Amino acid sequence: MATSQPPLRFTTHHNLVYRLVLSTLTGRTVHISQIRSSSPTNPGLAPHEISFLRLLDAVTNGSQMEISYTGTILVYKPGLITGSTSGTGASGGMINYELPANCNRGLSYYLIPLCLLAPFSKAPMKVLFTGPGVITSSTPTGDMSVDSVRTAILPLYNQFGIFNNIELRILRRSNPGPNGKGGGGEVQLIFGHQVRLPKTLHLMNAGRIKRVRGVVYSVGVSGSNNARMIETARGILNPLCPDTYVFSDVASAPLIPAPDKTNPQAKKKIGLGFGLSLVAESSTGCLYSADVASPPSGGQAPEDIGKQCAYQLLETVSKGGCVAPAAAATMMTLMTMGSEDVGRLQVGREVIADPNMIQLARDMSTFGAPGWGIRDAAGENDNGDVIVSIVGRGIGNVGRKVA
């Protein structure tokens, strides 16, 4: 009789999402303790982390979660990734997932890990994010916008042979609401390409930047803000890359219920603001992104947003490598889940030295993945980059037996 493996033990809330994703992909139970145990006011799991656990429960079947009374200890036993078959209604129906108003993280906090799970699910992943807590723009907490996920993260799945029937639609835009919480947006994700194993990746030529694309948006404010942001950003980028085009989108502010004693049907506007998302594409298909949105407290001119985003994009490109810092964890995870072969990826020295990347490498080693091999990139255009070699674990999609 086979005995179950003991749970893998971790501490603190850092890298919580990727630990849960790796647990779900590998089927290993995790025990996470000391989650904000030293916080005198808000110990335990934060509201956005609880929401992510609920999302995991919605897209899997058989997952078990135990949370201590104080919320400082979490035991997660993963189930099978079923996709939208676990949604209500007919098989393959849309999962309607609602985020609460106290959420202060951008929707990319949920989308990026969900897209990591989607290729390995049993059925297509179809999720509709609604509710007063959906923020589609970038946030002060460091989350990228949904536009950048669509233009800078999802196209990277092409490198692993995952490219069919993948859509990310922004049905209603929103910026962070008061105090950075809530937004009232609406986003639909359809990820219909499931694979047995991702292809082995060999990407060691960053190429040269050939085009810059972007999306500028205004929610509930004057559309002239868009023109001001575009003019400032293009003034900086055009001398460096003439093929620069920024799409403009003006949306009305979303309404969320705000009942009171006099009017139970009252609603209020939320998520006002504007922002800019830029993506630079190289001649070899490498993508670099930048995101800036107006702060919830206001007081920042559109010209400042455009300038800040353009310089942020140039800084991201200057870090070198074939992958932007925002997409590095996605690429490394997919390479680890691939077939049992050595994949290679050229990465900027600053990107691989990020504390979150180092923690991700340690966590993967804890889950049984071989260590990363790191060596200096040889060549005239290496710019101090390093080559990261990763051996795939060959776990892949246990619910899909054919390639």
Side-chain angles (χ1 to χ4, degrees), residues 138-163:
S138 57
T139 62
T141 50
D143 299 308
M144 66 196 312
S145 68
V146 177
D147 294 286
S148 291
V149 175
R150 180 172 53 82
T151 56
I153 301 291
L154 291 183
L156 297 175
Y157 285 78
N158 292 347
Q159 311 269 8
F160 299 91
I162 306 168
F163 49 82

mmCIF file of all heavy atoms in Angstrom, residues 138-163:
data_model
loop_
_atom_site.group_PDB
_atom_site.id
_atom_site.type_symbol
_atom_site.label_atom_id
_atom_site.label_comp_id
_atom_site.label_asym_id
_atom_site.label_seq_id
_atom_site.Cartn_x
_atom_site.Cartn_y
_atom_site.Cartn_z
ATOM 1 N N SER A 138 -2.970 48.858 -13.923
ATOM 2 C CA SER A 138 -1.884 48.566 -12.990
ATOM 3 C C SER A 138 -2.207 49.203 -11.642
ATOM 4 O O SER A 138 -3.021 50.129 -11.558
ATOM 5 C CB SER A 138 -0.556 49.093 -13.527
ATOM 6 O OG SER A 138 -0.639 50.487 -13.777
ATOM 7 N N THR A 139 -1.578 48.720 -10.591
ATOM 8 C CA THR A 139 -1.930 49.171 -9.236
ATOM 9 C C THR A 139 -0.691 49.634 -8.482
ATOM 10 O O THR A 139 0.441 49.267 -8.839
ATOM 11 C CB THR A 139 -2.585 48.023 -8.439
ATOM 12 O OG1 THR A 139 -1.628 46.951 -8.301
ATOM 13 C CG2 THR A 139 -3.821 47.500 -9.145
ATOM 14 N N PRO A 140 -0.888 50.431 -7.423
ATOM 15 C CA PRO A 140 0.259 50.850 -6.604
ATOM 16 C C PRO A 140 0.965 49.681 -5.918
ATOM 17 O O PRO A 140 2.113 49.821 -5.486
ATOM 18 C CB PRO A 140 -0.371 51.796 -5.568
ATOM 19 C CG PRO A 140 -1.665 52.235 -6.170
ATOM 20 C CD PRO A 140 -2.141 51.094 -7.011
ATOM 21 N N THR A 141 0.289 48.522 -5.802
ATOM 22 C CA THR A 141 0.918 47.360 -5.162
ATOM 23 C C THR A 141 1.869 46.622 -6.096
ATOM 24 O O THR A 141 2.459 45.625 -5.709
ATOM 25 C CB THR A 141 -0.158 46.385 -4.661
ATOM 26 O OG1 THR A 141 -1.102 46.127 -5.725
ATOM 27 C CG2 THR A 141 -0.920 46.959 -3.486
ATOM 28 N N GLY A 142 2.009 47.096 -7.341
ATOM 29 C CA GLY A 142 2.991 46.515 -8.246
ATOM 30 C C GLY A 142 2.448 45.555 -9.281
ATOM 31 O O GLY A 142 3.225 44.935 -10.019
ATOM 32 N N ASP A 143 1.127 45.400 -9.375
ATOM 33 C CA ASP A 143 0.552 44.496 -10.369
ATOM 34 C C ASP A 143 0.480 45.192 -11.726
ATOM 35 O O ASP A 143 0.180 46.376 -11.808
ATOM 36 C CB ASP A 143 -0.859 44.069 -9.945
ATOM 37 C CG ASP A 143 -0.852 43.333 -8.624
ATOM 38 O OD1 ASP A 143 -0.079 42.381 -8.495
ATOM 39 O OD2 ASP A 143 -1.607 43.729 -7.718
ATOM 40 N N MET A 144 0.731 44.412 -12.787
ATOM 41 C CA MET A 144 0.626 44.967 -14.129
ATOM 42 C C MET A 144 -0.834 44.997 -14.564
ATOM 43 O O MET A 144 -1.699 44.384 -13.933
ATOM 44 C CB MET A 144 1.474 44.136 -15.102
ATOM 45 C CG MET A 144 0.983 42.724 -15.301
ATOM 46 S SD MET A 144 2.201 41.612 -16.051
ATOM 47 C CE MET A 144 2.797 42.544 -17.434
ATOM 48 N N SER A 145 -1.113 45.727 -15.640
ATOM 49 C CA SER A 145 -2.484 45.840 -16.116
ATOM 50 C C SER A 145 -2.879 44.597 -16.909
ATOM 51 O O SER A 145 -2.034 43.811 -17.348
ATOM 52 C CB SER A 145 -2.634 47.083 -16.993
ATOM 53 O OG SER A 145 -1.914 46.911 -18.196
ATOM 54 N N VAL A 146 -4.184 44.436 -17.108
ATOM 55 C CA VAL A 146 -4.682 43.316 -17.905
ATOM 56 C C VAL A 146 -4.223 43.454 -19.358
ATOM 57 O O VAL A 146 -3.966 42.468 -20.042
ATOM 58 C CB VAL A 146 -6.223 43.244 -17.818
ATOM 59 C CG1 VAL A 146 -6.776 42.133 -18.695
ATOM 60 C CG2 VAL A 146 -6.658 43.025 -16.369
ATOM 61 N N ASP A 147 -4.072 44.698 -19.835
ATOM 62 C CA ASP A 147 -3.571 44.918 -21.199
ATOM 63 C C ASP A 147 -2.183 44.323 -21.367
ATOM 64 O O ASP A 147 -1.878 43.707 -22.394
ATOM 65 C CB ASP A 147 -3.524 46.418 -21.505
ATOM 66 C CG ASP A 147 -4.903 47.038 -21.548
ATOM 67 O OD1 ASP A 147 -5.626 46.806 -22.530
ATOM 68 O OD2 ASP A 147 -5.268 47.736 -20.590
ATOM 69 N N SER A 148 -1.322 44.492 -20.373
ATOM 70 C CA SER A 148 0.034 43.946 -20.471
ATOM 71 C C SER A 148 0.029 42.426 -20.384
ATOM 72 O O SER A 148 0.853 41.763 -21.019
ATOM 73 C CB SER A 148 0.923 44.532 -19.364
ATOM 74 O OG SER A 148 1.154 45.902 -19.599
ATOM 75 N N VAL A 149 -0.889 41.860 -19.594
ATOM 76 C CA VAL A 149 -1.002 40.391 -19.569
ATOM 77 C C VAL A 149 -1.372 39.876 -20.961
ATOM 78 O O VAL A 149 -0.819 38.891 -21.452
ATOM 79 C CB VAL A 149 -2.060 39.946 -18.535
ATOM 80 C CG1 VAL A 149 -2.269 38.442 -18.589
ATOM 81 C CG2 VAL A 149 -1.640 40.362 -17.132
ATOM 82 N N ARG A 150 -2.288 40.581 -21.617
ATOM 83 C CA ARG A 150 -2.755 40.151 -22.947
ATOM 84 C C ARG A 150 -1.680 40.312 -24.010
ATOM 85 O O ARG A 150 -1.547 39.477 -24.906
ATOM 86 C CB ARG A 150 -4.002 40.959 -23.325
ATOM 87 C CG ARG A 150 -4.590 40.628 -24.680
ATOM 88 C CD ARG A 150 -5.919 41.338 -24.886
ATOM 89 N NE ARG A 150 -5.826 42.760 -24.654
ATOM 90 C CZ ARG A 150 -5.384 43.643 -25.573
ATOM 91 N NH1 ARG A 150 -5.005 43.222 -26.756
ATOM 92 N NH2 ARG A 150 -5.346 44.927 -25.288
ATOM 93 N N THR A 151 -0.881 41.387 -23.926
ATOM 94 C CA THR A 151 0.071 41.678 -25.002
ATOM 95 C C THR A 151 1.507 41.262 -24.701
ATOM 96 O O THR A 151 2.305 41.135 -25.620
ATOM 97 C CB THR A 151 0.053 43.188 -25.316
ATOM 98 O OG1 THR A 151 0.323 43.922 -24.107
ATOM 99 C CG2 THR A 151 -1.289 43.613 -25.859
ATOM 100 N N ALA A 152 1.840 41.046 -23.408
ATOM 101 C CA ALA A 152 3.238 40.745 -23.063
ATOM 102 C C ALA A 152 3.423 39.406 -22.368
ATOM 103 O O ALA A 152 4.547 38.898 -22.331
ATOM 104 C CB ALA A 152 3.805 41.852 -22.157
ATOM 105 N N ILE A 153 2.370 38.806 -21.824
ATOM 106 C CA ILE A 153 2.505 37.516 -21.137
ATOM 107 C C ILE A 153 1.947 36.375 -21.990
ATOM 108 O O ILE A 153 2.637 35.387 -22.270
ATOM 109 C CB ILE A 153 1.794 37.534 -19.766
ATOM 110 C CG1 ILE A 153 2.382 38.626 -18.870
ATOM 111 C CG2 ILE A 153 1.899 36.177 -19.080
ATOM 112 C CD1 ILE A 153 3.792 38.373 -18.408
ATOM 113 N N LEU A 154 0.707 36.502 -22.449
ATOM 114 C CA LEU A 154 0.077 35.414 -23.212
ATOM 115 C C LEU A 154 0.833 35.067 -24.508
ATOM 116 O O LEU A 154 0.924 33.890 -24.847
ATOM 117 C CB LEU A 154 -1.381 35.762 -23.512
ATOM 118 C CG LEU A 154 -2.328 35.782 -22.300
ATOM 119 C CD1 LEU A 154 -3.755 36.079 -22.731
ATOM 120 C CD2 LEU A 154 -2.276 34.468 -21.542
ATOM 121 N N PRO A 155 1.369 36.043 -25.274
ATOM 122 C CA PRO A 155 2.114 35.654 -26.483
ATOM 123 C C PRO A 155 3.351 34.799 -26.202
ATOM 124 O O PRO A 155 3.815 34.084 -27.100
ATOM 125 C CB PRO A 155 2.521 37.000 -27.098
ATOM 126 C CG PRO A 155 1.506 37.963 -26.597
ATOM 127 C CD PRO A 155 1.178 37.502 -25.209
ATOM 128 N N LEU A 156 3.873 34.839 -24.978
ATOM 129 C CA LEU A 156 5.050 34.032 -24.650
ATOM 130 C C LEU A 156 4.738 32.541 -24.663
ATOM 131 O O LEU A 156 5.639 31.712 -24.812
ATOM 132 C CB LEU A 156 5.600 34.435 -23.278
ATOM 133 C CG LEU A 156 6.104 35.882 -23.150
ATOM 134 C CD1 LEU A 156 6.507 36.169 -21.721
ATOM 135 C CD2 LEU A 156 7.273 36.124 -24.083
ATOM 136 N N TYR A 157 3.472 32.197 -24.505
ATOM 137 C CA TYR A 157 3.096 30.783 -24.529
ATOM 138 C C TYR A 157 3.317 30.170 -25.912
ATOM 139 O O TYR A 157 3.406 28.948 -26.044
ATOM 140 C CB TYR A 157 1.639 30.613 -24.084
ATOM 141 C CG TYR A 157 1.431 30.763 -22.595
ATOM 142 C CD1 TYR A 157 1.394 32.010 -21.991
ATOM 143 C CD2 TYR A 157 1.300 29.653 -21.769
ATOM 144 C CE1 TYR A 157 1.217 32.150 -20.623
ATOM 145 C CE2 TYR A 157 1.117 29.772 -20.402
ATOM 146 C CZ TYR A 157 1.078 31.026 -19.842
ATOM 147 O OH TYR A 157 0.918 31.159 -18.479
ATOM 148 N N ASN A 158 3.411 31.017 -26.961
ATOM 149 C CA ASN A 158 3.738 30.512 -28.302
ATOM 150 C C ASN A 158 5.069 29.777 -28.301
ATOM 151 O O ASN A 158 5.258 28.793 -29.026
ATOM 152 C CB ASN A 158 3.811 31.659 -29.318
ATOM 153 C CG ASN A 158 2.451 32.283 -29.560
ATOM 154 O OD1 ASN A 158 1.430 31.724 -29.169
ATOM 155 N ND2 ASN A 158 2.426 33.432 -30.207
ATOM 156 N N GLN A 159 6.012 30.271 -27.483
ATOM 157 C CA GLN A 159 7.346 29.664 -27.444
ATOM 158 C C GLN A 159 7.284 28.218 -26.955
ATOM 159 O O GLN A 159 8.183 27.423 -27.241
ATOM 160 C CB GLN A 159 8.265 30.467 -26.508
ATOM 161 C CG GLN A 159 8.264 31.963 -26.738
ATOM 162 C CD GLN A 159 9.338 32.398 -27.719
ATOM 163 O OE1 GLN A 159 9.992 31.576 -28.331
ATOM 164 N NE2 GLN A 159 9.497 33.704 -27.862
ATOM 165 N N PHE A 160 6.223 27.870 -26.228
ATOM 166 C CA PHE A 160 6.087 26.516 -25.674
ATOM 167 C C PHE A 160 5.060 25.684 -26.445
ATOM 168 O O PHE A 160 4.638 24.628 -25.974
ATOM 169 C CB PHE A 160 5.681 26.604 -24.199
ATOM 170 C CG PHE A 160 6.682 27.313 -23.336
ATOM 171 C CD1 PHE A 160 6.594 28.678 -23.113
ATOM 172 C CD2 PHE A 160 7.730 26.618 -22.750
ATOM 173 C CE1 PHE A 160 7.511 29.343 -22.322
ATOM 174 C CE2 PHE A 160 8.664 27.271 -21.960
ATOM 175 C CZ PHE A 160 8.557 28.634 -21.751
ATOM 176 N N GLY A 161 4.654 26.176 -27.614
ATOM 177 C CA GLY A 161 3.695 25.424 -28.426
ATOM 178 C C GLY A 161 2.268 25.536 -27.930
ATOM 179 O O GLY A 161 1.443 24.668 -28.205
ATOM 180 N N ILE A 162 1.965 26.614 -27.192
ATOM 181 C CA ILE A 162 0.610 26.825 -26.657
ATOM 182 C C ILE A 162 0.093 28.128 -27.257
ATOM 183 O O ILE A 162 0.517 29.207 -26.854
ATOM 184 C CB ILE A 162 0.633 26.910 -25.116
ATOM 185 C CG1 ILE A 162 1.322 25.684 -24.517
ATOM 186 C CG2 ILE A 162 -0.767 27.059 -24.556
ATOM 187 C CD1 ILE A 162 1.640 25.805 -23.048
ATOM 188 N N PHE A 163 -0.800 28.037 -28.232
ATOM 189 C CA PHE A 163 -1.194 29.261 -28.932
ATOM 190 C C PHE A 163 -2.627 29.245 -29.457
ATOM 191 O O PHE A 163 -3.109 30.254 -29.965
ATOM 192 C CB PHE A 163 -0.239 29.513 -30.122
ATOM 193 C CG PHE A 163 -0.031 28.314 -30.998
ATOM 194 C CD1 PHE A 163 -0.940 27.981 -31.973
ATOM 195 C CD2 PHE A 163 1.086 27.513 -30.808
ATOM 196 C CE1 PHE A 163 -0.744 26.870 -32.762
ATOM 197 C CE2 PHE A 163 1.281 26.389 -31.603
ATOM 198 C CZ PHE A 163 0.361 26.063 -32.582
#
